[in-house]
Amino acid sequence: MPDGFIIANFRHVADGLQEGQFAVGERKRVASLDGLDPTYRQLLDRPIMQTLGIIGPDGRPSLTPMWFDYENDKILVNTASHRRKCEWIRKSPRVTSLLVNPGNPYHWVQIKHTVEKELREWEPDGEYVSRQLDRIWAKYTGNPPPTGCATRRSTRSGFCSSAASTASPRSGGLSAESGASGAVRISNVALWC
């Protein structure tokens, strides 16, 4: 994230309705995901399912609930390489991740990112994809790796990308967009965004 990204914080409505409640309350530039308020950053650390938004072949958004992780300023997406969404991501690498706090639907983070890189498990550096999948497995199941999925070692891809946006924990929203591309890896596919 060489240029960082802009965070747009929506107005809070936890204490009741207010004029302009759905308007952006403030905008600020931050250099990295470290610049996110801890209230929003914790959504990245918790085992919350992301909704991944990608563009399908007909030009309409496709939304998929799935596990994710991040490393430094890169959002990591790991998926089976034979799935259609991998082909769609390759054709249109701009994707969006949405994380919603299951305990408060008004506390959310939206991350708009661009795939920079794809890694496949069966290619050089593919072991990174396997290790990343093991981290995601531990994050979401609480169990130690390996995942026990016998076929994943030869069929997974991963993507990584950078950028972020988020919303208020009380109610309201926070949004961030990056002008820079991120990285996405695919193998068990890992994507760098």
Side-chain angles (χ1 to χ4, degrees):
M1 244 185 271
D3 297 330
F5 57 92
I6 296 173
I7 295 175
N9 193 2
F10 292 86
R11 294 184 179 152
H12 304 287
V13 295
D15 297 324
L17 299 178
Q18 59 178 298
E19 187 176 336
Q21 68 189 35
F22 297 110
V24 173
E26 66 179 7
R27 292 181 190 272
K28 69 177 182 175
R29 181 169 289 282
V30 295
S32 70
L33 291 176
D34 289 336
L36 287 176
D37 183 292
T39 302
Y40 306 118
R41 177 71 182 256
Q42 56 98 8
L43 293 174
L44 298 165
D45 295 326
R46 292 176 51 196
I48 295 173
M49 295 287 285
Q50 78 163 335
T51 299
L52 182 69
I54 61 176
I55 301 299
D58 61 0
R60 291 186 295 175
S62 175
L63 305 173
T64 304
M66 60 190 301
W67 295 353
F68 89 103
D69 203 5
Y70 72 98
E71 183 176 284
N72 301 316
D73 280 337
K74 304 297 182 188
I75 302 298
L76 305 170
V77 177
N78 196 308
T79 186
S81 60
H82 67 279
R83 300 200 186 232
R84 288 184 181 173
K85 74 176 148 233
C86 285
E87 179 184 332
W88 299 348
I89 290 169
R90 290 178 192 120
K91 288 181 180 178
S92 182
R94 294 182 304 176
V95 299
T96 300
S97 297
L98 175 66
L99 288 85
V100 178
N101 181 342
N104 179 355
Y106 293 104
H107 178 203
W108 52 269
V109 174
Q110 175 184 271
I111 304 169
K112 297 178 181 180
H113 41 111
T114 301
V115 171
E116 290 180 351
K117 189 174 189 178
E118 175 182 348
L119 295 179
R120 296 178 180 98
E121 280 188 312
W122 60 91
E123 293 179 345
D125 297 326
E127 185 56 33
Y128 174 85
V129 178
S130 299
R131 288 191 313 269
Q132 188 248 334
L133 182 60
D134 288 343
R135 284 194 318 266
I136 290 174
W137 173 265
K139 175 182 176 179
Y140 283 89
T141 68
N143 295 320
T147 65
C149 179
T151 61
R152 82 162 168 88
R153 298 273 180 221
S154 62
T155 64
R156 301 293 297 191
S157 290
F159 298 94
C160 172
S161 64
S162 61
S165 65
T166 151
S168 164
R170 296 179 60 205
S171 102
L174 177 65
S175 177
E177 297 181 34
S178 172
S181 295
V184 174
R185 300 184 180 190
I186 298 184
S187 178
N188 193 10
V189 182
L191 302 176
W192 287 99
C193 303

